Amino acid sequence: CDSVGQDPAEGDERMSVAIEGAGGEHETARLTAALEAAAVRELMAEWKATNRDRFGDRLVAPVIRLGHATTRLGQWRSDDRTIEITRAFLFERGWGEVVEVLRHEMVHQFLDEVRKVRDEPPHGPSFQRECRRIGIQVGASQPPVGVEVDPQRARLVDRVRKLLNLASSPNP
């Protein structure tokens, strides 16, 4: 499933831990889904903080979804109001880089929904100006510079990443 819940701010997914010899792939899949749901909740918390601190609470919360794309790190989709972050990127890179991509996509959302920019390329002058205004790099694939990330949240996400790697490992 590409989405971990329609509203990541709601719900209380329960974590299942695979016990040796019991559950097998089914338990691993439940663990992976629960860990991904936790990651999406953390992305939504970052989205809310960025919306408050850098966009003055002018954005309306989108659906945040993990995707399987191989050619991009993230994407704002206005048709279904979704910010999609690539699953592999989320679990293979540092949390600061993931937050930078989330903020990059939020600039696209802002220009689409608040400024109503329609007559420019996706990374055109308005996008570049807005990135500078809120203090993010225009190219979100570059390593972040001075990204403010809650250290406690970064540790939690790193733990989730390690657990997901463990859950998908073929080793018992």
Side-chain angles (χ1 to χ4, degrees):
C1 173
D2 284 332
S3 175
V4 182
Q6 283 300 317
D7 184 357
E10 295 180 2
D12 182 25
E13 293 80 11
R14 301 285 180 222
M15 222 183 272
S16 301
V17 179
I19 299 172
E20 188 175 330
E25 289 181 22
H26 180 67
E27 284 297 314
T28 299
R30 286 178 44 193
L31 174 64
T32 299
L35 292 170
E36 287 184 358
V40 169
R41 281 193 302 275
E42 291 303 314
L43 284 167
M44 182 56 78
E46 289 288 351
W47 184 94
K48 288 177 180 177
T50 299
N51 185 34
R52 180 190 64 239
D53 298 343
R54 299 188 185 204
F55 292 99
D57 279 325
R58 290 181 283 176
L59 296 173
V60 175
V63 172
I64 293 182
R65 180 175 295 167
L66 301 181
H68 296 286
T70 58
T71 59
R72 64 181 176 271
L73 305 176
Q75 177 182 24
W76 161 249
R77 294 192 338 228
S78 61
D79 59 330
D80 60 358
R81 302 199 64 265
T82 298
I83 290 178
E84 184 176 285
I85 302 293
T86 302
R87 201 177 251 105
F89 176 70
L90 174 68
F91 294 111
E92 292 171 4
R93 302 303 290 264
W95 185 243
E97 291 176 83
V98 173
V99 169
E100 190 77 359
V101 169
L102 175 67
R103 290 174 179 168
H104 175 106
E105 299 311 327
M106 289 177 73
V107 171
H108 286 297
Q109 179 187 6
F110 180 78
L111 292 174
D112 180 42
E113 294 187 336
V114 177
R115 298 260 192 230
K116 311 264 188 236
V117 173
R118 306 278 188 260
D119 59 347
E120 291 183 21
H123 298 117
S126 294
F127 180 84
Q128 294 175 29
R129 200 170 24 257
E130 194 61 32
C131 285
R132 283 191 299 276
R133 184 189 71 78
I134 68 163
I136 69 165
Q137 294 179 24
V138 173
S141 62
Q142 301 168 11
V145 174
V147 174
E148 300 168 23
V149 177
D150 177 2
Q152 190 173 16
R153 181 170 287 137
R155 281 192 301 278
L156 172 67
V157 172
D158 285 338
R159 285 185 194 138
V160 167
R161 180 182 303 114
K162 288 175 185 174
L163 285 169
L164 272 172
N165 288 336
L166 255 164
S168 62
S169 169
N171 297 329

